[in-house]
Amino acid sequence: MTFISKTPHADVVLIGGGIMSATLGAFLKQLEPDWTISLFERLDQPGLESSDPWNNAGTGHAALCELNYSPAAKDGSVDPSKALLINEQFQLSRQFWSHLVDQKLIGSPKGFINTVPHMSFVIGEDHTRFLRTRYEALKPHTLFRSMEYSEDHAQIAKWAPLIVKGRDPKQRVAATRAAEGTDVDFGALTRELTTYLGNNGVEINYGHDVTGISRASDGGWNLSLKYPKSGEHSKIHAKFVFVGAGGGALHLLQASGIPESKGYGGFPVSGQFFRCTDETIAAQHSAKVYGQASVGAPPMSVPHLDTRYVGGKRSLLFGPYAGFSTNFLKNGSYLDLPLSIRPSNIIPMLAVAKDNMDLTAYLVKEVAKKHADKVEALREYYPEAKDGDWELITAGQRVQIIKKDPQKGGVLQFGTEVIAGRDGSIGALLGASPGASTAVPIMIELLKRTFPRNFKGWQSKLKDMMPGYGVKLDENPDLAVELEKATAASLQLESVSASR
């Protein structure tokens, strides 16, 4: 590690030390081992913002339990297409991680991924009808073949005792369960990947702010660097820049001046979680249980009671309780939102503000919610929860995308979006969930768009690393089973295919 970059030039500069930059760096090291790469992170360690296990839900998002990926239409039907897409994407992530483990490029998978069944749990007649319809839409598909459904309290109690114990036995409930679900510590995975990069010639620079970015005369980029601890300044020239700075990506993308950045804005949403580290309680719950979002709530605010593995210890997490803050990073500035306003994005931002009054009302209500109200929300999922067993922690910031829309003027988009300069010399990622879980296919998409001339030659290497690359596993059941078994073995996970 250096304090101020010793390298005046690099083929690739990665801005941000989170899961996205680490994943892109790992791909490039595999595909072009001779390229020079430098990574810059403003904090003293990698993976401390949105990739940190206590700053996100840690779910290996595969749409097994997240109801917002398969909402009901007006006629009550459920379209499984988005859920299928996200599951396919997560399978690619599993395959790439398995490749890295098999090649001994990163350490034990137990440090970052563990089997934790994924469940959806709903209360009431209408929600039960929806969940049953969703189950019937997903169950026939190869990637959801293991899913189980029940409205029986006793059966649900076998899957997740804490959500049933103490509940009114006459209450109408329903649940689905997918045994192959996972819990992922993306902070630990990020550290594994950055260690691999640092051991293979990548210059890793922590405690560095990238304070400016401007076009160089040769078509590359000049980056201004600052090391706040000493006040030192430096510069580096890059042929290609990836802006993977989480909530901080928007400001740097705007500073680049590329036309593709015009019109984008950000809407920050903060949050809190209840955490229980009592091992006797945590031992009674092995599941990620997702429910329905409140009316007006953003998709990222879906309540869930999660089993987490962090640092080898098992704990429980419940939330989130949404809030609002104008900073784009947990360690950012309250001026982040106002300083992101530009002539090109003010109309989309005003349009979003006008069209999302229900979201604003929801956030105001959440901010005003008392501690006792938060505990009551927990008891909807864990009826016998005791206040003293849980501590309230602040989660990471999520910056949802605001973008132009021909009809509405602007829309608030939940998800992630790859932004790439027309000449392929710069790329960036904006947005949030499912984010980290689909980092692998997202970075493949970025490589395809920013290195079009190289990408064709990389196809065979990508296929070697990820045998399911370019294939819809849901339409190839034999290959899906084969890869589920193989990745489960490599990542030391329980295999649903092996048990059949």
Side-chain angles (χ1 to χ4, degrees):
M1 183 183 75
T2 59
F3 289 144
I4 283 294
S5 179
K6 296 177 180 177
T7 308
H9 303 280
D11 292 318
V12 174
V13 165
L14 307 172
I15 303 176
I19 187 64
M20 294 298 174
S21 289
T23 299
L24 179 59
F27 266 125
L28 290 173
K29 261 298 152 190
Q30 293 284 292
L31 298 169
E32 297 290 346
D34 295 332
W35 285 7
T36 56
I37 303 175
S38 293
L39 181 150
F40 296 93
E41 164 58 45
R42 62 195 295 269
L43 302 178
D44 292 333
Q45 294 181 45
L48 292 182
E49 278 282 350
S50 294
S51 303
D52 183 83
W54 300 125
N55 284 341
N56 65 53
T59 302
H61 285 287
L64 296 168
C65 60
E66 305 92 337
L67 301 178
N68 53 295
Y69 295 146
S70 49
K74 290 182 179 180
D75 64 359
S77 64
V78 171
D79 180 358
S81 57
K82 185 174 182 180
L84 288 169
L85 172 63
I86 290 173
N87 196 295
E88 293 272 9
Q89 291 177 325
F90 184 65
Q91 301 308 319
L92 272 187
S93 292
R94 277 181 59 137
Q95 291 167 50
F96 184 57
W97 300 337
S98 297
H99 164 76
L100 296 173
V101 170
D102 291 343
Q103 297 299 312
K104 296 182 170 52
L105 302 178
I106 61 176
S108 170
K110 281 296 181 186
F112 69 86
I113 189 168
N114 287 275
T115 297
V116 174
H118 285 191
M119 292 178 60
S120 300
F121 178 73
V122 297
I123 301 170
E125 184 67 39
D126 291 343
H127 289 160
T128 295
R129 187 182 305 112
F130 158 69
L131 190 62
R132 185 167 57 248
T133 302
R134 178 182 184 269
Y135 168 75
E136 290 169 351
L138 291 172
K139 177 68 174 179
H141 292 275
T142 299
L143 295 177
F144 292 84
R145 66 194 181 283
S146 74
M147 184 176 284
E148 302 172 86
Y149 175 85
S150 181
E151 298 176 19
D152 179 54
H153 280 236
Q155 179 58 63
I156 297 171
K158 291 179 181 178
W159 293 340
L162 295 186
I163 67 173
V164 175
K165 190 177 180 182
R167 189 174 297 277
D168 181 351
K170 295 181 181 179
Q171 188 177 52
R172 188 70 186 273
V173 298
T176 57
R177 181 178 185 267
E180 71 270 31
T182 54
D183 171 72
V184 186
D185 180 342
F186 286 104
L189 176 57
T190 299
R191 287 185 283 277
E192 287 286 347
L193 293 173
T194 51
T195 297
Y196 157 64
L197 296 176
N199 290 339
N200 287 272
V202 174
E203 185 186 84
I204 308 290
N205 302 277
Y206 298 131
H208 282 64
D209 269 335
V210 178
T211 57
I213 178 170
S214 60
R215 178 72 77 173
S217 58
D218 64 355
W221 296 92
N222 292 321
L223 279 70
S224 299
L225 309 170
K226 182 180 180 181
Y227 183 60
K229 287 186 177 180
S230 66
E232 293 176 84
H233 292 263
S234 182
K235 291 184 179 293
I236 187 171
H237 173 274
K239 295 179 182 177
F240 171 79
V241 174
F242 172 62
V243 186
L250 179 60
H251 286 142
L252 288 170
L253 188 61
Q254 291 173 331
S256 73
I258 62 172
E260 293 79 7
S261 70
K262 306 298 183 184
Y264 281 97
F267 182 81
V269 179
S270 60
Q272 295 177 317
F273 282 90
F274 271 132
R275 177 172 63 188
C276 175
T277 55
D278 187 321
E279 294 181 8
T280 60
I281 297 174
Q284 300 175 57
H285 184 80
S286 180
K288 289 182 179 290
V289 180
Y290 273 57
Q292 284 280 47
S294 303
V295 175
M300 60 165 287
S301 294
V302 171
H304 45 91
L305 180 63
D306 283 7
T307 295
R308 298 302 320 274
Y309 288 91
V310 179
K313 294 184 178 180
R314 183 162 151 177
S315 57
L316 300 182
L317 203 69
F318 177 80
Y321 301 98
F324 179 76
S325 173
T326 55
N327 51 318
F328 281 178
L329 292 164
K330 189 173 182 179
N331 295 282
S333 165
Y334 290 116
L335 296 176
D336 286 343
L337 177 58
L339 290 177
S340 72
I341 298 172
R342 299 285 191 278
S344 64
N345 67 16
I346 192 166
I347 291 177
M349 293 181 78
L350 289 173
V352 165
K354 176 178 68 71
D355 294 340
N356 288 272
M357 295 304 293
D358 56 343
L359 173 59
T360 302
Y362 167 78
L363 292 176
V364 170
K365 181 181 176 182
E366 284 287 291
V367 170
K369 187 175 285 186
K370 296 178 180 178
H371 183 84
D373 296 327
K374 294 178 180 179
V375 174
E376 282 307 306
L378 165 62
R379 287 179 180 146
E380 288 185 28
Y381 288 82
Y382 176 13
E384 296 188 349
K386 296 178 181 178
D387 188 357
D389 295 329
W390 299 79
E391 62 175 323
L392 198 61
I393 63 172
T394 300
Q397 288 289 99
R398 296 290 181 271
V399 180
Q400 308 297 343
I401 303 166
I402 294 174
K403 58 189 298 187
K404 288 181 179 179
D405 181 84
Q407 281 77 43
K408 297 182 178 181
V411 293
L412 185 63
Q413 178 175 304
F414 298 101
T416 49
E417 183 151 343
V418 172
I419 313 295
R422 188 173 305 170
D423 65 354
S425 66
I426 187 170
L429 187 74
L430 301 178
S433 185
S437 299
T438 55
V440 168
I442 289 171
M443 289 301 99
I444 292 174
E445 173 66 18
L446 184 133
L447 288 170
K448 186 176 182 178
R449 292 176 59 181
T450 54
F451 295 98
R453 294 181 181 177
N454 304 77
F455 196 79
K456 186 176 181 180
W458 290 340
Q459 298 283 327
S460 61
K461 289 184 180 179
L462 291 171
K463 191 75 172 177
D464 287 343
M465 290 187 278
M466 298 163 293
Y469 172 68
V471 178
K472 287 188 176 181
L473 294 181
D474 197 61
E475 298 173 4
N476 293 271
D478 291 341
L479 180 60
V481 168
E482 177 187 335
L483 291 178
E484 196 274 338
K485 288 181 181 178
T487 56
S490 296
L491 298 174
Q492 299 177 32
L493 304 172
E494 294 178 22
S495 171
V496 294
S497 299
S499 62
R500 286 175 170 260

